[in-house]
Each structure stands twice: as structure tokens, then as C-alpha cells.
Amino acid sequence: MPVLPAAAPLRRAEERMRRAIEVARTTPAGDVPVGAVVFAPDGTELASGTNRREAESDPTAHAEVVAIRSAVRRYGDGWRLGGCELVVTLEPCMMCAGAATGARLGSIVFGAYEPRTGACGSLVDAVRVPGALHIPQVRGGVLEAETAELLTGFFSELR
């Protein structure tokens, strides 16, 4: 996977991921604890979201989609989030990777890899398909152990 340019050092990615972890911890009961945060180019937090599929009976209410929807309303460039960064605790699925690409996000930073549904390189690489109109930078595995633990804890309680 390509690494983000020097302008986005690992320390900043880790700080932002800690914020996404905080958000994930507010996920409604019964939903998989995933947190997503969209940051403006200047570092301002535009929006955050948690998984809400069960809470809202909505298959599209993934953390990334919830955060992107809120961020575009605040950012003021129609539906475009150019130069913005999506930070999410779990590798985006195909739907969320498509939403991030469609919103023209500048970069995606994620924590835990998702080998069964990950669409930023694990299962498929939806954000870097040949001929894509927009290709965001991607950095995966940021605070991977901490973000994976959110999921491990959730699923172990279900068993």
C-alpha cells in the first residue's frame, strides 16, 4: 500500500486515530464499534460517525457514510471533500470506499485491516482501480492493535 506523503506524518495519523477510537466507543449498543472522523485540510474536525445500522435499521449507516454525510454539509463545497482526510478504526468496505472516493476525499487512514470485506487493499482495492476519476492516498494499520481490540471485545461478548 502506498504511504502518505511526509506532510502527513505517522504521529498526526495516530493522534487522529485516537479520536476515531473515542468516537467508536460511543457506538450504539448492538452495532459493531467502528468510529470515523473527517478532518478538513487545516486539521479541523468536520464530522464524526459511528456504525448505526442496527440502531437505525439502515444498511448504509456505516460510520464512514454517517461522517461523510455530516462533513459535506459542514465543509461547504457541495458534495466534495477535496483535501480532507477520513480516519476510521476499521478498513472501509466496498460501499464506504466508494463513498470516500465519490466524495473526493484526499486521504483515508484506517486502523484494523478487514480481510473479509476490506476494500482498501485487503480483499479488494476499490480506491485504486484503474481508470478511477479520483484516487485518495491510503494508510492502513494505524494503531492496528488498539482498533482491532475494539472489534475483538465486541465479538467476544456476542459468543
Side-chain angles (χ1 to χ4, degrees), residues 115-139:
R116 295 181 306 155
T117 62
C120 291
S122 287
L123 178 65
V124 295
D125 201 356
V127 296
R128 292 179 286 248
V129 296
L133 296 175
H134 175 75
I135 300 175
Q137 294 284 329
V138 176
R139 172 180 274 153

Side-chain angles (χ1 to χ4, degrees), residues 29-116:
D31 274 297
V32 178
V34 176
V37 184
V38 177
F39 292 92
D42 68 0
T44 303
E45 182 177 321
L46 292 174
S48 64
T50 64
N51 270 353
R52 307 189 61 77
R53 290 184 330 166
E54 299 297 328
E56 297 181 6
S57 299
D58 179 353
T60 68
H62 289 205
E64 300 94 323
V65 173
V66 171
I68 289 168
R69 286 177 180 160
S70 294
V72 295
R73 286 190 292 272
R74 184 166 177 212
Y75 193 54
D77 188 16
W79 50 268
R80 293 174 189 85
L81 293 170
C84 295
E85 182 169 80
L86 171 67
V87 179
V88 59
T89 56
L90 180 65
E91 181 179 3
C93 68
M94 186 74 91
M95 176 183 68
C96 294
T101 301
R104 305 296 195 268
L105 279 152
S107 59
I108 300 168
V109 175
F110 67 87
Y113 287 88
E114 175 46 273
R116 295 181 306 155

Side-chain angles (χ1 to χ4, degrees), residues 6 9 22 36 47 117 131 146:
E22 288 176 14
T117 62
E146 293 173 52

